[in-house]
Amino acid sequence: MAIAKDDRVMLLVSNVAGTAKKYDALYRWLDDNAISVGEDLTEAHYRKVSILKGKFVTRKGFVSRVRILAKSVGTQALDVFLNLHGLKDGLKFEDGTAKIDSLAEEIAELGLEHRLRLLYSTCCWGARHAPYFVEAGFKTASGSVGINANGPFDFPTQLYRWTRGYTYDSAVRAANNPFMLGIHDRAAEFIGFDDVDSTKEIFGVKSVSYTH
């Protein structure tokens, strides 16, 4: 069954500057860019684009916003774009680190799996988190194999193709451009990051599209 614009809601979440100890200018730019580009690419295709950023990106605030948006009248599909710092076993929120298994259990307890559709993460080690988000109720989730460095190319590419009706696996394949992965990953290694691998992997239903 097709899901109309009035039945779709997007949640954009970004706070990498607030939980980092260095690269402040870079992370502030990444936060601003994630929200502005994300909003520009999605607002014409959703009934509502909700923004959660900066000091408001607490664990409680995130789960609460997911609950409110998914339970709002008319919502059939909630999609989430998550731009936070990731650890191998968790995510950094403004109020501390949340273990991914515990966070997923909290989301699962909302009982909203019939409305949770896509969780697209630019968090480092997002591919380790994605299976937990699928278990929590999202139909589809994705993330990077290691440290994620190609967000400035990846998320505009993914979101553009997603909102043009391509299947999600097609959007991810386009964003996993080997040339662009190489440029961004080598640059991250040059400034001192280890375990860099921005390749995105998908868990759950790979053929989902924003109209279904």
Side-chain angles (χ1 to χ4, degrees):
M1 179 185 297
I3 299 176
K5 175 183 175 179
D6 285 347
D7 302 323
R8 302 189 293 262
V9 177
M10 168 66 77
L11 172 58
L12 304 176
V13 182
S14 188
N15 186 29
V16 290
T19 58
K21 296 182 179 179
K22 54 183 179 179
Y23 306 118
D24 183 63
L26 170 62
Y27 287 141
R28 280 190 284 108
W29 178 82
L30 288 172
D31 275 332
D32 291 341
N33 192 52
I35 295 298
S36 62
V37 173
E39 192 171 20
D40 286 347
L41 287 173
T42 60
E43 63 181 353
H45 305 279
Y46 289 82
R47 181 184 82 240
K48 178 181 180 65
V49 176
S50 180
I51 295 171
L52 189 63
K53 63 181 181 178
K55 66 181 181 180
F56 299 103
V57 187
T58 61
R59 172 178 175 159
K60 181 179 179 180
F62 171 63
V63 174
S64 176
R65 189 69 63 91
V66 167
R67 177 182 57 79
I68 290 169
L69 293 175
K71 293 185 74 173
S72 61
V73 176
T75 299
Q76 292 187 31
L78 171 64
D79 299 326
V80 178
F81 169 37
L82 197 60
N83 183 48
L84 304 175
H85 285 295
L87 304 172
K88 290 182 178 179
D89 62 350
L91 296 170
K92 288 188 175 182
F93 289 93
E94 185 70 16
D95 54 345
T97 298
K99 295 293 186 181
I100 189 61
D101 54 352
S102 174
L103 179 63
E105 288 177 6
E106 189 173 356
I107 294 173
E109 288 172 358
L110 299 175
L112 295 169
E113 61 277 358
H114 57 297
R115 296 184 180 183
L116 304 180
R117 186 170 58 178
L118 171 67
L119 189 137
Y120 162 42
S121 169
T122 63
C123 310
C124 294
W125 293 290
R128 292 175 179 249
H129 312 148
Y132 289 94
F133 284 120
V134 172
E135 289 180 7
F138 283 91
K139 179 181 291 186
T140 308
S142 70
S144 65
V145 173
I147 293 289
N148 184 44
N150 78 330
F153 173 78
D154 183 277
F155 73 77
T157 302
Q158 280 207 39
L159 292 178
Y160 177 84
R161 291 181 72 86
W162 170 253
T163 55
R164 267 59 183 181
Y166 290 88
T167 59
Y168 190 58
D169 56 342
S170 174
V172 171
R173 283 198 305 272
N176 278 338
N177 179 291
F179 178 72
M180 298 304 293
L181 284 170
I183 289 175
H184 288 96
D185 286 3
R186 298 298 81 75
E189 290 171 346
F190 180 77
I191 64 173
F193 286 97
D194 297 318
D195 199 15
V196 182
D197 190 344
S198 300
T199 306
K200 304 303 183 299
E201 293 184 344
I202 308 171
F203 296 80
V205 181
K206 297 181 179 181
S207 60
V208 67
S209 70
Y210 92 105
T211 58
H212 291 85

